[in-house]
Amino acid sequence: VGVGIGRFMPQRPIATADGMPDYTLKNAAATSVKLDYWWRSWVATRVGYEWVRTGVSKPNVPSFGRIYTVSGAVLLAPVQLPMRRSPYLALGGGVRRYNINSSLSNGGPAWDIAPNQNPPAAYGGVGAGLSLGGILIVPEAGVWTNTFKHEYRCNGCTDTSDEMDVVLTLHLVFAR
């Protein structure tokens, strides 16, 4: 069982429209809990939960955002090194729950950009474990990708976007 902290870094705007600025999420802290079970030294399965508290960075308007992710993955470690946890590749997917609210950039009322949306998502990442005095530290870099649909009706809008979010995490593993 590992508990981690990390950094969520969105790479694409979540909403675009003619005559309005792109709505982009802020970089934010990510917290996660992951359960990895190594069947053999080279293959494992993972169940995970991640949550991010963020907001809209552009335009600069009052906002809040929450992204919750439930996921599963297969971990493959084809190269065995004399480390506690050899370098591995994580491939999987899950469901991301978005709840993002913002004021319109023209000073209008609050707008639910994504009122409780649950799109499926794909995940790919790499990581390795470092043992320091009985504690296993596992850094991992990954990318989430999914389709996002905003809920604002406007002329010239593109109401869906392909999201790509980079997540860097550092997990402390308590049970091995």
Side-chain angles (χ1 to χ4, degrees):
V1 175
V3 174
I5 58 171
R7 196 75 182 152
F8 163 82
M9 297 171 288
Q11 303 298 304
R12 297 184 179 150
I14 57 171
T16 60
D18 290 342
M20 293 181 71
D22 292 347
Y23 281 77
T24 305
L25 292 178
K26 295 177 184 176
N27 288 355
T31 307
S32 59
V33 176
K34 295 180 180 176
L35 175 62
D36 297 349
Y37 184 80
W38 288 87
W39 299 92
R40 300 272 188 263
S41 62
W42 54 273
V43 66
T45 52
R46 168 183 288 168
V47 175
Y49 181 72
E50 178 180 274
W51 59 98
V52 174
R53 297 177 68 140
T54 186
V56 173
S57 67
K58 293 180 186 174
N60 188 13
V61 293
S63 65
F64 77 87
R66 307 291 183 266
I67 302 172
Y68 305 100
T69 306
V70 176
S71 63
V74 172
L75 309 181
L76 302 171
V79 177
Q80 298 300 305
L81 298 175
M83 304 171 63
R84 180 68 181 137
R85 173 87 37 93
S86 290
Y88 62 87
L89 173 66
L91 298 172
V95 175
R96 302 187 87 190
R97 181 174 181 83
Y98 286 88
N99 185 4
I100 300 170
N101 186 285
S102 173
S103 296
L104 292 174
S105 63
N106 62 7
W111 160 43
D112 273 339
I113 296 174
N116 301 322
Q117 229 182 94
N118 302 298
Y123 179 78
V126 294
L130 307 168
S131 187
L132 296 174
I135 297 173
L136 184 62
I137 299 171
V138 183
E140 185 171 310
V143 175
W144 281 104
T145 183
N146 60 275
T147 300
F148 179 87
K149 182 178 184 347
H150 73 75
E151 299 292 328
Y152 183 59
R153 293 183 182 96
C154 60
N155 295 328
C157 285
T158 302
D159 66 349
T160 59
S161 62
D162 293 325
E163 290 303 300
M164 185 183 322
D165 303 323
V166 173
V167 179
L168 303 175
T169 57
L170 187 62
H171 283 89
L172 299 177
V173 178
F174 299 107
R176 297 185 245 174

